[in-house]
Every structure is written in C-alpha cells, then in structure tokens.
Amino acid sequence: MAMVAQQHRESSSGSITKHLDSSGKYVRYTAEQVEALERVYAECPKPSSLRRQQLIRECPILSNIEPKQIKVWFQNRRCREKQRKESSRLQTVNRKLSAMNKLLMEENDRLQKQVSQLVCENGFMRQQLHTASAATTDVSCESVVTTPQHSLRDANNPAGLLSIAEETLAEFLSKATGTAVDWVPMPGMKPGPDSVGIFAISHSCSGVAARACGLVSLEPTKIAEILKDRSSWFRDCRNVEVFTMFSAGNGTIELLYTQIYAPTTLAPARDFWTLRYTTTLENGSFVVCERSLSGTGAGPNAASASQFVRAQMLPSGYLIRPCDGGGSIIHIVDHLNLEAWSAPEILRPLYESSKVVAQKMTIAALRYARQIAQETSGEVVYGLGRQPAVLRTFSQRLSRGFNDAINGFSDDGWSLLSSDGGEDVIVAVNSRKNIATTSVPLSPLGGILCAKASMLLQNVPPAVLVRFLREHRSEWADFNVDAYVASSMKSCSYAYPGVRPTRFTGSQIIMPLGHTIEHEEMLEVIRLEGHSIGQEDAFMPRDIHLLQMCSGTDENAVGACSELVFAAIDEMFPDDAPLLPSGFRIIPLESKSSDPQDTSNAHRTLDLASSLEVGPATNPATGDVVSGYSARSVLTIAFQFPFEDNLQDNVATMARQYVRSVVSSVQRVAMAISPAGVNSTFGSKLSPGSPEAVTLSHWICQSYSYHMGTELLQADSRGDESVLKNLWQHQDAILCCSLKSLPVFIFANKAGLDMLETTLVALQDITLDRIFDESGRKVLFAEFPKIMDQGFAYLPGGICMSAMGRHISYEQAIAWKVFASEETSVHCLAFSFINWSFV
C-alpha cells in the first residue's frame, strides 16, 4: 500500500505538482495533467487497470507517465479525500462537544445555584423550627413565593398585555436557565455527543413540567418558525388559531386558542387560551414564551369548545441562542396544568406525569427541529425517491386521522350510533367527512364509520406488544376486511365483505420508506399477498397495500406511548392519496408502586379467582390489589370503515364484530408475551406453593381429575404458569360460571372465547341461560342436582348461542363442580364443550 502523499506546489512557469510514487521518488505533474486526472477521479475514484491504460492513450499529456505511477496518484488522491472527510467529521464532532460542554457548564452553574438556594432554605427552616412563634406571625418571609394571577382585566389594552408578556418572559427565563423549578434528570436519557440533548423533569412543582437543552444546526429565526408551528411537530395538537397579533415593546404579542386531542376514548380533550410573546434579548438570543390567560376565550366555535376541558399553560417557551461556528442552542420548557380531576381515576397518571409531557412535547420538539436540520443539510436519505417533507406529511396525516377517529368531535360531523347492548365497543358515524382532509369526497351518499374500544392491560410491555402486532398481522387481522376497505378507497364502490371472498396467504412484505433520526418512528408500506377463492378470477392479483406508521418500539424509552397506525393505499401511492387510518395505541401508566423504595407490595400474593369475580378485585389482607399492581397500560383500538347509506347498519354490525375479534386476539397475544406468563386482563400474578394463591386454573384441573378420574391436561404440565397456559390453549371450549342466583361467566379459555365470540372483558356480561336454547336449558336444569350431588355430569350434544347470536353445535358437554381449595367449598361451575362448530 502506498504511503500518504505529501503535496507540494512550486510557483514556476509550468505550475508543477510533486507526488511520491511507490518507490519513494517524486513524480512531477503539470497543472494540465492534474486537471485531467481530477476529471477522471470525479467520475471514477478507483479506475481499473484497463481504464488507466485507456486514459493514457486518450490523453496525450499523460503519455510520459507510467500506468503504475497513475495508480499511485489515484491511491494518494483517495487518501487525501478520506483525510478531508475525516477532518470535517472531527470538526463537526468537536463543535458538538464544545456546545454540549457549554450546556453542561451552564447546567452545573444552575445546579450550584439550586444547591445554594436549598441550603439557605434549609437554614431558614431550622431557624423557624426554633422560633415557632415567629414563624406564625412573620408574613414577610422571603421563602413565600406567590404566583401572580392574570385576568382579562389586565388584557383589555396593549399595555396590559405587554405587562403580562414581560412577566411571562421573566418567569420563563427563570425556569429555562434559573432555579425557579426543581429540575431532576430525565430517567434513561443520558447526555452525550450523539444524543438529542439534556433533559429534565420537575421534581415537585405545581402542574407537570419538562425541560430540554440541545444543539440544532439551524439559525435561531428558522428554529423559532418551526417550533411556533405546533401542529407540525406536536402530534396531539388538533388546531392552533391566532386571534390577535400586534407589535409591542421589542417583539410581537399573539393571543392563541389551541385544541389538544385526547389520547384515549375514556377522557375528554383539552384546550388552551394563551398569550404568546416573541422577542429578541440584548445578547442576541431569540425567545418565544407563552402562558395561559384567564377568562372564557372559547375559540371559534363555542359549541365545539364544550367538548374540551380548559387546561392551563404556565410560563413556557423556547430560548434560542446563536452558537459559535454555526447553529443554535435551544432551551425548551413546557409547564402545564392538565386538570387531571376531569379524567377517570385510572387515567390520571397520564395527566400528572412530567415524563409524559417530556416525551410528547419537549423531546418531540427538539427531535423535530434536529430532523429538519439534518434533512436540510442532506444527511438524511429516504427510499423510493420520496422527499422528506412528503413522508412527514403522510405520517402527520396518519396520526391526525387516527386521533380524529378516537376523539370523534361533533364539529367534524361525528355522532354516536345506538349500542347493540354491549358497552365494550363504541361505534360512531360521519356522513359528511372527506377522507383524511383531502379534497376527494368519499361518496355523495356515503360516509365513514368508526368502531373503537379502550381497555386496561397489566404486565404487558407496550413496545413488545406493538412489535408483535406489526410483525404478525395475520394473528389478529382479517384479510377480507382489509380488502373491503382497500377496494372502497380505490374506486369509491362499496363491495360488502364476503361478496368476493379472498384467502389471505399470511405473508406480508414490509418496505421501509423513512424514519426519524433516532428510529422512534418508522414509516413503511406493507404489501399483503392474497388470492381469490373463486375460479372465475383466480389469476387476478388480490394484493393489498397499506401505509403504516409504527412508533414506541424501544422498551427503554421512558413515558412514551407505542402506536401502530395504518391505512389502505393505492399501489401507485400518489402524494395526494386519500387515507382512512386505523390502528392501536398503547399508553403506559405510572403505578404508585413503581417507586423503587416502595416495598409495600413486595410480598403480596394475589388471588386469581377473586380478580375474575364481577366487581372490584380486593383482598381483605392486602387492600385494593388491582390499583397496587405495576406495569399497567391503556390500549385504545380504532378502526374506520367506508360505507354507503343503504349499507350503514350492515357495516356497523360488521365493525362491532370485527373490533371485538381484534380485541380478543390482542388479549391472547398479551397473555402469550406477558413476562409473567399470565394474561394481563387477569390482573394478577401466580405464586406457586402458597395455599392462599391457588389459581383458578389449578382448581379447574384438580376438580376435573377428582370427579372424572382422568387428567384434563397433559401430564407434563408443571407449575402454575404451565397449567394456565395449557388450559388456555386447550382444544375444547372451557367456560366457568359463578354459582349465584343469576349465574354469569367469569372465565373462558381461548377456544371458549372464540365459541362465544366475545372477550374476557365482555365475558362477565354473559349469563349462563343466555347461551343455551330451550332444550339445552331443560337438560341442564334436569342434570343440575346430579352435578351438585355427584360432582359432574355428561350433557348430550345440542345447540347453544354465541354473544353475536350465531348458533353453535357441540357433540357433548361436561359439567363439573370446581372446588376452591382441597374440597372445602365450591367456587364455580365449569363446562367443557367438545367438538363444537358454528352452524
């Protein structure tokens, strides 16, 4: 390998350049020769031996140079290019490290100030403890901090608004670079040259707050323009409207009305009425700060505002400082009061968590600004020839369409359909909505129907569940439903599912389009391969293409939600393709017992059977078991279907059944991937070897063996988890009902849920007499004394009914008593339906 050449230029009449050849001798090249070689290098940096010989023949000025010497020239040229790139890379890294070092030094100064302040407060508190009487009378204490409350009486004129703006600026800066908030490092986010920035969350303050600092390779004014467009990067932002804008002081004041989507179907959305102040500081820094104003400020439509809960934004914003060597240093602060009281108690952790605010707003803003900077510099290259802005538009449309479906705002045209008797699935209809805000109407006589549901999961990692749903679509999806939506989107012709049945091969091809800089969000096209069952068009392709967005697949991310959102698209994938998004959203909930120092639940044993009873699952010895259980999350499912007016009822029925089947499939998946090996819906753990923790699965199997004289499960089942898994996957439908005046089902295995066409959540709404027909009820009543006396009975084959009203035939059924523990008491009644099938 040739040594790296040292280039020397001589200022002579021939402008000769010297290079070392392989023997260490200098070879002189004229400027014309170097120019000719550079032209070839630009086309081919590593020419072959034949190409070098051809070069000598075609260029007379190179005729006096040997091919070996030209080979060495290209080697040296590649080395110089490599050195140049490495030098440029090191300069970039050095600039980032310098900026990060500056941020760390500022953070260190802020922490030292905070420590000094805490020491002073600690000394003051000690003094107060020794002089208690003085503490009760001294109202001029410096430690008492009051937050001024602004009302619209101050905002009736520009001078009043400017006063509020200046106070907002001062309070924001004290949070961004000062000690106004007790910031603690964001768990799991370590600063470094390749990280997004430095992140912190509030330790103890009013509301929830998060802070971020980072370096972005854009000018301050460009960054401010990007971040002020909140709808472009904050996926939960539905609308931002500027009511008033005028110049004041050294900047601009705006009055804004902002609407924020609700993350699930179980809580109302939020809105804000705020003042935003944009100004420039004396040191050249650019500031955009914002805070809530009191008063009504209902926005453009008072009727639509009634669907929102008015939240409060405490002084927040962006401090953007020019950085030496180019780019900017950004300080972001988000401080909110989301009025958690208006949400169900189970969801309040979503509105009381600073980690959630950090992930959804603060970190998202900084990541988006860095993403734009990298795309602008050309560092990011996407496939299929798509421009980054186009791909961002598609992912934003998927997210917005999914949020619209979950929230179902009346001013968008959504209205609820009457229930079919079950409350597990909500169906809403929109007869005037265009597809995903495009200019292409769905149909002059049609509309969109959305079926959605929310449920609580326990002990199921959201990232793992979303990855499984993404990679194993055939485990939960129905190809015919996908084909129905896809065909309706292509031609606006509504072929009801089942008219042309298609077989799904189970194969899906994932074609990536693009991703964000840290791969926290991926955009891809999914091709589902299908074949027609009918002979008349057996050779026609039935493939379906879906545009899919997947996020939150990193198990180490803190406070982030996981999503899988998809929509059928045309194979050509035009930039203005209409979209009808459907999918899943899983949001982790912080548990009160998640504190590592909280050991109150460390030795609790949970009773599986009690958690399956209707009503709250409690244990007299341990209190509320479910509320103390960790690793909880909320799963929200929403699927959209186009329809024509004459098919609305049919599509609504199909949508309910389909979403219920998807829920059932997801529950089965959740049980399979749960680290504890138990379905998260059970809401409990298994504790082997303890009489107090004998599980229902053991009781069912032990009671069956006791009465029948044979094993229900294979003999190799060992341990609580193994018994439960084998019972869950048993081929026969096994159901358990309570022994009450009105028996209801409290448990079913996978086959039992499939037979009843229901879910574990909705199972407890089904009574025993509801599934049997008249003859079946007569047989059961006749055999009931025998069951209670002998412990079991064989029931002849017959007909029963699913929760969807479909008839089911079975060859035989076995009923037996289930003992709670060691034959001391009867807990429930179990049924096993053998060789069942739909009629």
Side-chain angles (χ1 to χ4, degrees):
M1 184 67 183
M3 297 176 59
V4 177
Q6 299 180 0
Q7 182 175 347
H8 298 278
R9 297 186 179 274
E10 296 182 355
S11 56
S12 61
S13 58
S15 183
I16 298 176
T17 302
K18 294 181 179 180
H19 290 267
L20 286 172
D21 65 5
S22 59
S23 62
K25 298 180 180 179
Y26 280 108
V27 178
R28 297 173 179 268
Y29 296 92
T30 65
E32 293 78 8
Q33 290 173 333
V34 171
E35 183 180 356
L37 292 171
E38 287 287 353
R39 285 197 301 268
V40 176
Y41 181 85
E43 299 176 358
C44 179
K46 195 174 183 179
S48 64
S49 176
L50 294 177
R51 181 71 179 89
R52 293 194 298 269
Q53 293 177 4
Q54 180 184 2
L55 176 63
I56 295 175
R57 291 194 301 268
E58 293 178 351
C59 297
I61 60 175
L62 299 176
S63 59
N64 63 332
I65 302 177
E66 297 179 0
K68 186 176 181 180
Q69 294 173 337
I70 291 181
K71 177 182 179 181
V72 172
W73 185 92
F74 276 97
Q75 290 176 343
N76 294 337
R77 181 66 178 82
R78 289 194 299 270
C79 288
R80 292 198 305 275
E81 182 70 16
K82 184 177 180 181
Q83 286 181 331
R84 185 189 64 79
K85 291 182 179 179
E86 181 66 14
S87 177
S88 177
R89 188 189 69 83
L90 291 176
Q91 289 178 1
T92 301
V93 172
N94 182 65
R95 187 170 66 253
K96 290 182 179 180
L97 288 173
S98 299
M100 187 64 66
N101 181 62
K102 184 177 181 180
L103 281 176
L104 290 173
M105 292 177 63
E106 293 175 351
E107 181 71 5
N108 184 57
D109 292 340
R110 188 193 64 80
L111 290 174
Q112 289 181 351
K113 292 178 182 178
Q114 185 174 348
V115 169
S116 300
Q117 181 178 338
L118 292 174
V119 170
C120 294
E121 291 180 358
N122 185 45
F124 177 80
M125 292 301 296
R126 287 183 177 181
Q127 181 182 359
Q128 292 297 309
L129 289 175
H130 287 89
T131 58
S133 58
T136 58
T137 57
D138 185 8
V139 297
S140 62
C141 170
E142 293 182 0
S143 65
V144 177
V145 180
T146 59
T147 302
Q149 300 295 323
H150 296 292
S151 64
L152 288 182
R153 64 180 178 82
D154 300 320
N156 289 330
N157 56 75
L161 290 175
L162 179 58
S163 175
I164 297 174
E166 291 174 345
E167 291 183 8
T168 302
L169 174 62
E171 292 185 40
F172 160 68
L173 292 177
S174 67
K175 296 177 184 179
T177 59
T179 59
V181 173
D182 184 10
W183 299 111
V184 296
M186 178 81 173
M189 305 291 287
K190 296 181 180 180
D194 296 326
S195 67
V196 178
I198 303 173
F199 305 101
I201 56 177
S202 59
H203 176 59
S204 58
C205 70
S206 174
V208 288
R211 186 176 71 105
C213 309
L215 174 67
V216 177
S217 303
L218 290 174
E219 295 301 317
T221 53
K222 178 64 176 178
I223 295 174
E225 178 185 344
I226 292 172
L227 296 181
K228 287 174 72 173
D229 185 13
R230 187 174 285 138
S231 299
S232 65
W233 58 265
F234 184 27
R235 294 297 174 83
D236 286 350
C237 181
R238 183 195 184 211
N239 180 46
V240 177
E241 183 164 348
V242 179
F243 275 81
T244 305
M245 181 174 65
F246 59 90
S247 299
N250 191 29
T252 303
I253 292 177
E254 301 165 287
L255 298 184
L256 308 179
Y257 174 67
T258 306
Q259 294 177 338
I260 307 297
Y261 289 111
T264 76
T265 62
L266 305 175
R270 265 62 179 164
D271 65 354
F272 298 87
W273 180 245
T274 59
L275 176 146
R276 184 167 68 188
Y277 183 40
T278 304
T279 186
T280 304
L281 303 182
E282 294 180 356
N283 61 3
S285 299
F286 207 82
V287 179
V288 181
C289 55
E290 190 173 353
R291 77 173 307 155
S292 285
L293 293 173
S294 60
T296 55
N301 189 332
S304 65
S306 63
Q307 296 183 267
F308 296 83
V309 171
R310 177 58 48 83
Q312 183 183 12
M313 179 181 292
L314 288 78
S316 307
Y318 320 111
L319 169 62
I320 310 170
R321 300 183 298 170
C323 183
D324 296 339
S328 306
I329 295 177
I330 310 177
H331 295 257
I332 303 176
V333 173
D334 291 303
H335 194 177
L336 308 173
N337 181 0
L338 295 173
E339 305 295 341
W341 60 266
S342 63
E345 185 174 358
I346 191 67
L347 294 181
R348 288 179 188 175
L350 292 179
Y351 300 92
E352 297 172 340
S353 171
S354 295
K355 297 177 185 177
V356 174
V357 172
Q359 283 285 356
K360 300 181 79 171
M361 293 188 65
T362 319
I363 299 176
L366 188 53
R367 279 175 172 165
Y368 183 80
R370 293 185 72 235
Q371 183 82 22
I372 298 297
Q374 290 198 4
E375 291 174 359
T376 303
S377 64
E379 296 180 41
V380 180
V381 179
Y382 291 112
L384 301 184
R386 294 285 174 176
Q387 293 296 322
V390 175
L391 297 178
R392 281 201 312 274
T393 299
F394 273 115
S395 62
Q396 289 166 3
R397 286 174 55 193
L398 283 173
S399 180
R400 174 173 290 273
F402 187 59
N403 276 321
D404 283 334
I406 290 175
N407 286 260
F409 294 114
S410 58
D411 57 336
D412 281 340
W414 291 99
S415 60
L416 296 179
L417 290 182
S418 58
S419 174
D420 63 347
E423 298 181 355
D424 55 330
V425 177
I426 301 171
V427 178
V429 64
N430 193 330
S431 299
R432 63 179 177 87
K433 183 180 176 63
N434 291 345
I435 300 177
T437 67
T438 66
S439 59
V440 182
L442 187 61
S443 170
L445 299 176
I448 299 172
L449 187 142
C450 179
K452 46 194 174 181
S454 295
M455 69 194 71
L456 179 67
L457 298 178
Q458 291 187 354
N459 204 32
V460 179
V464 178
L465 180 55
V466 162
R467 284 205 303 267
F468 185 93
L469 295 174
R470 170 180 174 265
E471 297 168 3
H472 304 277
R473 185 180 179 86
S474 60
E475 293 291 332
W476 55 267
D478 187 325
F479 185 88
N480 287 317
V481 174
D482 291 330
Y484 159 66
V485 176
S487 63
S488 300
M489 299 294 291
K490 287 181 180 179
S491 60
C492 291
S493 61
Y494 302 85
Y496 189 68
V499 174
R500 303 185 105 192
T502 305
R503 183 179 71 255
F504 178 39
T505 64
S507 173
Q508 68 173 16
I509 299 175
I510 300 178
M511 297 173 284
L513 289 177
H515 53 77
T516 49
I517 51 179
E518 293 194 340
H519 291 77
E520 68 274 3
E521 181 178 289
M522 298 176 290
L523 189 67
E524 52 202 13
V525 171
I526 310 298
R527 190 179 76 190
L528 307 177
E529 297 181 346
H531 303 284
S532 175
I533 296 178
Q535 295 294 328
E536 67 280 0
D537 53 357
F539 297 101
M540 293 182 62
R542 288 291 186 179
D543 292 353
I544 295 173
H545 292 81
L546 304 174
L547 180 65
Q548 182 167 277
M549 179 183 67
C550 184
S551 62
T553 57
D554 183 6
E555 296 179 59
N556 298 320
V558 180
C561 74
S562 302
E563 286 186 337
L564 183 69
V565 182
F566 55 88
I569 59 169
D570 187 83
E571 184 178 359
M572 300 304 295
F573 188 15
D575 292 346
D576 60 347
L579 301 177
L580 205 60
S582 302
F584 309 86
R585 172 179 293 161
I586 311 173
I587 310 175
L589 298 173
E590 289 186 2
S591 174
K592 295 180 180 179
S593 62
S594 60
D595 189 345
Q597 300 184 7
D598 181 11
T599 59
S600 59
N601 296 322
H603 302 290
R604 290 185 179 179
T605 57
L606 305 181
D607 189 349
L608 175 61
S610 64
S611 70
L612 294 174
E613 288 286 350
V614 178
T618 60
N619 187 313
T622 61
D624 188 354
V625 173
V626 176
S627 63
Y629 193 61
S630 61
R632 296 183 298 178
S633 56
V634 175
L635 168 65
T636 299
I637 300 175
F639 283 79
Q640 299 191 72
F641 306 89
F643 68 89
E644 284 185 343
D645 284 346
N646 60 337
L647 292 176
Q648 176 176 320
D649 294 339
N650 293 336
V651 175
T653 301
M654 178 271 292
R656 284 192 177 97
Q657 294 177 352
Y658 183 57
V659 169
R660 282 170 177 154
S661 69
V662 171
V663 169
S664 179
S665 300
V666 171
Q667 287 177 330
R668 292 197 297 269
V669 171
M671 189 193 76
I673 67 176
S674 172
V678 186
N679 193 322
S680 56
T681 313
F682 292 168
S684 64
K685 287 183 179 179
L686 300 176
S687 179
S690 174
E692 293 79 13
V694 177
T695 63
L696 184 57
S697 56
H698 267 290
W699 297 342
I700 294 172
C701 298
Q702 291 174 355
S703 300
Y704 184 93
S705 301
Y706 177 82
H707 295 305
M708 312 298 294
T710 182
E711 297 290 336
L712 177 63
L713 299 179
Q714 53 187 352
D716 60 349
S717 295
R718 296 290 185 270
D720 296 333
E721 297 180 8
S722 177
V723 171
L724 181 57
K725 285 185 176 180
N726 282 288
L727 182 67
W728 178 261
Q729 297 170 0
H730 198 277
Q731 60 182 356
D732 297 332
I734 298 176
L735 310 172
C736 295
C737 71
S738 60
L739 289 174
K740 298 179 180 179
S741 57
L742 185 61
V744 295
F745 288 102
I746 60 174
F747 173 75
N749 67 348
K750 176 181 177 296
L753 294 177
D754 291 341
M755 186 185 80
L756 293 183
E757 293 184 292
T758 187
T759 66
L760 280 172
V761 176
L763 180 67
Q764 299 177 6
D765 296 330
I766 303 175
T767 58
L768 179 62
D769 61 347
R770 181 176 168 184
I771 71 167
F772 287 102
D773 59 6
E774 186 64 26
S775 60
R777 284 193 291 268
K778 289 181 180 180
V779 171
L780 179 60
F781 293 155
E783 295 291 335
F784 189 80
K786 181 179 178 181
I787 298 173
M788 300 307 295
D789 181 45
Q790 179 177 305
F792 72 97
Y794 289 96
L795 307 180
I799 299 294
C800 61
M801 187 174 297
S802 74
M804 300 299 173
R806 286 211 287 177
H807 290 85
I808 306 160
S809 66
Y810 56 93
E811 291 184 3
Q812 189 184 46
I814 305 174
W816 70 96
K817 291 189 300 184
V818 176
F819 293 123
S821 176
E822 301 297 334
E823 303 180 33
T824 57
S825 62
V826 179
H827 176 70
C828 62
L829 198 64
F831 293 87
S832 177
F833 293 87
I834 302 171
N835 293 335
W836 63 271
S837 62
F838 291 106
V839 178

